[in-house]
Amino acid sequence: MPSAFNFSASPFDCLTPDERRLVQDSVDIAYFPQGATILAPGAQPTHLFVIIKGFVQQFDGNEVVTTYGPEDCFDGRGLMAGKVSSRFMAAEEVVAYQLARQAVSDLIAGNVTFGALLFSDLSNKLSALSERQSRHELQSLTMARVDEAFVRTPHFVDADMSILDVTRQFHALRTATLLVRDSQVAPPALGIFTLTGLQRAILDGTPLDRLAVRGLTNFSLIKVRPSDQLGDALAVMIRHKVHRVVVAEGEHITGVLEALDLFSFLSNHSYLISVQILDAPDVPALKVAAAQITRLIALLQRSGTHINMIARLVQELNAKLFERAWQLIAPPELVANSCLFVMGSEGRGEQLLKTDQDNGLVLRDGYQPACDVAAVCRRFSAALADFGYPPCPGNIMVSNPQWCQSVTNFSQTARLWLMAATTDGLMALAIFLDAHAVCGDRTLLEKVRAAVYDMTADNDAMLARFASAVNAFGNSSAWWNRLLFRGDPGKEALDIKKAGTFPLVHGVRSLALAHHVSATSTVERVQALVAAGRLPEKLADDLIDSLHFFMGLKLKIGLQQLETGHAASDEIALDKLSSLDRDLLKDTLGVVKQFKALLNQRFHLEAM
């Protein structure tokens, strides 16, 4: 057997050394010319194939259902069933490893993860992948850099300042730690003064306005570098029996890392950003907190945190960020008489990296604002853009008067969307259905939403036109075959939003509108549809798993793009995916294809 077998490709990357030796002892190489039938329906397979070179197409009848490329394996399911159910043909000259059936059986019996990744359904594959990632979560967090945690801003005072004035600084700066500069010694010294020192000062008995901070300052600083690992910083604190360390690069002080913040970061690092947002005294301070959100997302993704948990945290943090920004920019009377809401993926709680602004404002009927509402909304949109949330290309923002109206006027606008059923109107309706309140009187938004549902009752023609958008990006065979037959390496890319996320999300949204499901998140809509008997439970589970996979894959690729100085996009370079990601992508797009067939039948879209 050749020694070049790639054990880094899924599912072989989970094998033990003994299991790898079993593979090496049981594998051979096979060759198939272009057009050759490798496996025919009804045949009894004797080997699992792992492609070295070329592409293999799988047919159900005359339809290509998937294409396998280098490092992909097939047909594990047929091997275990004892019978091939599809036709596998060489799309071009194929060289492949063939692993004996008995060896595959032994591997499945002894390694549950291998079996799940090889031929189980989508849910089992994702569960196995999640289990492998979660083993490294705490280790990954402790290996994070110090500057990825919450490092407190350094505040400096002179050593001659009185304890009374230092206490005033504690209160004004909302801190319990000050760095003390003493320029009267050579060379000048830098120390640290905390609330512990304040307790000693009070016990000293000297009036605090006559007691200089110099005498109670610790000038033996314990330092770490921004690039040090958090685990090392924790070890330093334990070794020196201190609760905080100064973060410095050479002589440049960048901040103070406190033990409480470090432990909070390891256990619930989103909490620290939440505190920063709630305590922000002005918009510039909010911008600092907004920058922390993307860093948190990257850290959570690297640590193997479940994608639905990341999305939930991001939705909560973004909601707090938008709420605080609105409270700082809008007068209190405007906040009390309006409802600020977000829409699209942000409203559904499925947004991860920063994307275009999709927001609106509902005003209370009869409210006569004392301020220039339009000017306030423009300042809010500008602030979000400064935070890294770019303006919406379609101008669906509070700064657009069409998205800043009273309850009655908003309801009338929604009625026009429904009655006219134009492309733009139905798009606006789709976006609005995902609306999620973040600040103000939430009942105002619910009144408009209730008016929308009242007008959709028994409107089958409108519902069909609304649902037809699932086919907006070409028929299924077009994008399906573009993915499955990848063509020249490096030249094929898939728009994951058009091919996967949008038809899944909008299809669920259409069913939810048809059956008056008020939930805004895709997962909650799916669960409500299952409970109402409107969606098969197995398909529902696969839809949720597929959505989370699309979100996770887009996040992983997006972070890679950001790290290399490029803007995050929806395009996925197929040749750069791992064999496991390619396998899961095929499975999840297969789920979307099945779901679209259900939608076409439910809404009679084939007649449109």
Side-chain angles (χ1 to χ4, degrees):
M1 139 62 192
S3 59
F5 190 93
N6 184 10
F7 285 105
S8 64
S10 175
F12 300 96
D13 58 342
C14 66
L15 299 182
T16 66
D18 287 341
E19 290 167 341
R20 291 186 179 193
R21 281 190 290 271
L22 173 61
V23 171
Q24 290 175 325
D25 293 340
S26 309
V27 79
D28 205 344
I29 288 182
Y31 166 80
F32 303 94
Q34 183 177 359
T37 297
I38 301 173
L39 292 171
Q44 295 182 349
T46 57
H47 293 85
L48 175 73
F49 293 93
V50 183
I51 299 174
I52 302 172
K53 174 188 175 183
F55 293 91
V56 173
Q57 290 181 307
Q58 178 181 349
F59 289 83
D60 274 351
N62 294 322
E63 182 182 5
V64 176
V65 294
T66 192
T67 297
Y68 300 92
E71 297 185 355
D72 290 340
C73 60
F74 69 94
D75 171 41
R77 191 179 297 276
L79 192 68
M80 293 299 100
K83 180 186 293 187
V84 178
S85 58
S86 302
R87 176 174 284 101
F88 294 82
M89 296 185 64
E92 57 184 53
E93 185 179 69
V94 171
V95 179
Y97 294 114
Q98 50 182 20
L99 181 59
R101 177 176 181 171
Q102 186 57 52
V104 176
S105 298
D106 291 345
L107 292 173
I108 292 172
N111 191 317
V112 175
T113 301
F114 176 85
L117 294 175
L118 177 62
F119 69 92
S120 294
D121 60 22
L122 176 62
S123 178
N124 285 337
K125 287 183 179 179
L126 292 173
S127 296
L129 178 61
S130 174
E131 182 179 348
R132 290 165 59 189
Q133 292 173 334
S134 63
R135 296 171 190 166
H136 308 292
E137 181 168 356
L138 183 59
Q139 180 183 6
S140 299
L141 287 173
T142 57
M143 293 178 66
R145 289 165 52 110
V146 165
D147 57 8
E148 290 181 307
F150 179 36
V151 178
R152 295 180 180 267
T153 302
H155 298 290
F156 299 89
V157 297
D158 191 82
D160 290 326
M161 181 177 285
S162 72
I163 295 295
L164 181 61
D165 288 335
V166 165
T167 304
R168 292 188 176 118
Q169 288 293 306
F170 278 157
H171 179 73
L173 297 172
R174 303 180 74 173
T175 184
T177 304
L178 291 170
L179 298 178
V180 180
R181 290 192 176 109
D182 189 350
S183 57
Q184 295 185 9
V185 297
L190 182 68
I192 191 168
F193 182 78
T194 67
L195 287 178
T196 301
L198 178 59
Q199 294 172 355
R200 289 164 45 212
I202 295 172
L203 294 174
D204 181 86
T206 304
L208 299 184
D209 59 345
R210 291 188 296 175
L211 183 62
V213 70
R214 175 185 290 105
L216 296 167
T217 296
N218 177 10
F219 287 98
S220 300
L221 292 183
I222 308 299
K223 298 181 181 179
V224 297
R225 295 173 300 178
S227 58
D228 287 345
Q229 293 178 353
L230 282 178
D232 292 336
L234 179 58
V236 168
M237 291 181 185
I238 294 172
R239 183 165 64 250
H240 292 279
K241 299 179 181 178
V242 296
H243 298 291
R244 57 190 59 80
V245 290
V246 173
V247 182
E249 192 68 68
E251 297 301 316
H252 177 62
I253 306 294
T254 61
V256 177
L257 176 64
E258 306 229 0
L260 180 60
D261 295 335
L262 190 155
F263 290 131
S264 296
F265 178 84
L266 295 179
S267 61
N268 186 10
H269 17 298
S270 63
Y271 170 76
L272 299 174
I273 301 177
S274 177
V275 170
Q276 283 183 285
I277 292 172
L278 296 177
D279 289 348
D282 50 36
V283 173
L286 270 183
K287 182 178 179 180
V288 175
Q292 295 289 331
I293 295 177
T294 299
R295 298 173 66 184
L296 169 66
I297 294 170
L299 179 65
L300 293 175
Q301 191 272 337
R302 289 201 306 269
S303 71
T305 304
H306 291 190
I307 198 69
N308 56 323
M309 176 61 72
I310 299 177
R312 201 154 57 238
L313 290 174
V314 170
Q315 183 185 38
E316 291 296 330
L317 291 174
N318 280 343
K320 284 183 171 62
L321 180 72
F322 300 153
E323 178 183 30
R324 185 59 180 152
W326 184 243
Q327 290 170 342
L328 290 171
I329 293 171
E333 51 93 13
L334 175 57
V335 173
N337 287 279
S338 66
C339 178
L340 177 72
F341 59 91
V342 293
M343 297 173 286
S345 55
E346 189 72 64
R348 296 191 306 271
E350 294 158 16
Q351 183 57 46
L352 295 167
L353 297 176
K354 292 183 176 69
T355 188
D356 303 338
Q357 299 179 39
D358 281 323
N359 47 49
L361 189 71
V362 181
L363 302 171
R364 193 182 309 280
D365 282 341
Y367 167 59
Q368 298 295 326
C371 62
D372 184 345
V373 175
V376 173
C377 289
R378 287 194 295 271
R379 289 199 299 273
F380 178 75
S381 295
L384 293 195
D386 192 41
F387 294 168
Y389 302 88
C392 173
N395 203 23
I396 302 174
M397 302 183 296
V398 293
S399 53
N400 180 352
Q402 293 182 357
W403 290 92
C404 177
Q405 302 186 67
S406 67
V407 171
T408 297
N409 290 341
F410 234 128
S411 299
Q412 291 175 348
T413 298
R415 183 176 291 109
L416 289 176
W417 293 338
L418 288 161
M419 293 176 62
T422 63
T423 300
D424 289 344
L426 292 179
M427 180 189 72
L429 175 62
I431 294 171
F432 177 76
L433 287 174
D434 297 338
H436 175 74
V438 295
C439 188
D441 186 348
R442 286 160 168 74
T443 63
L444 302 178
L445 175 62
E446 292 310 313
K447 290 178 181 179
V448 181
R449 198 194 309 275
V452 170
Y453 282 111
D454 287 343
M455 290 181 285
T456 59
D458 302 322
N459 194 339
D460 291 341
M462 186 283 297
L463 289 171
R465 180 162 171 74
F466 183 76
S468 68
V470 298
N471 298 321
F473 300 111
N475 61 52
S476 61
S477 60
W479 58 261
W480 184 254
N481 286 330
R482 185 166 65 251
L483 166 70
L484 299 178
F485 194 75
R486 291 173 291 174
D488 296 334
K491 294 185 179 180
E492 289 292 335
L494 175 80
D495 189 314
I496 195 168
K497 180 177 181 179
K498 292 180 179 180
T501 308
F502 177 79
L504 190 160
V505 167
H506 186 67
V508 171
R509 182 195 287 131
S510 300
L511 289 174
L513 179 61
H515 300 293
H516 288 203
V517 173
S518 60
T520 55
S521 83
T522 301
V523 171
E524 290 176 345
R525 285 169 172 165
V526 167
Q527 292 169 341
L529 289 167
V530 171
R534 303 295 184 174
L535 196 62
E537 188 171 353
K538 177 62 172 65
L539 176 59
D541 290 340
D542 285 346
L543 287 172
I544 293 173
D545 287 335
S546 297
L547 173 66
H548 289 158
F549 173 75
F550 292 144
M551 291 168 61
L553 184 60
K554 182 180 176 182
L555 174 60
K556 181 166 65 175
I557 300 299
L559 289 172
Q560 291 172 357
Q561 292 168 332
L562 292 176
E563 289 171 357
T564 56
H566 299 87
S569 72
D570 293 316
E571 286 202 346
I572 306 294
L574 300 177
D575 63 299
K576 295 182 180 179
L577 295 180
S578 68
S579 59
L580 176 58
D581 282 340
R582 285 201 307 271
D583 187 28
L584 289 171
L585 184 57
K586 291 170 186 173
D587 287 347
T588 50
L589 290 178
V591 170
V592 172
K593 184 179 181 182
Q594 178 187 356
F595 184 47
K596 289 177 71 175
L598 180 148
L599 294 169
N600 278 272
Q601 181 180 19
R602 163 64 178 81
F603 293 104
H604 308 290
L605 302 184
E606 66 281 352
M608 298 189 67

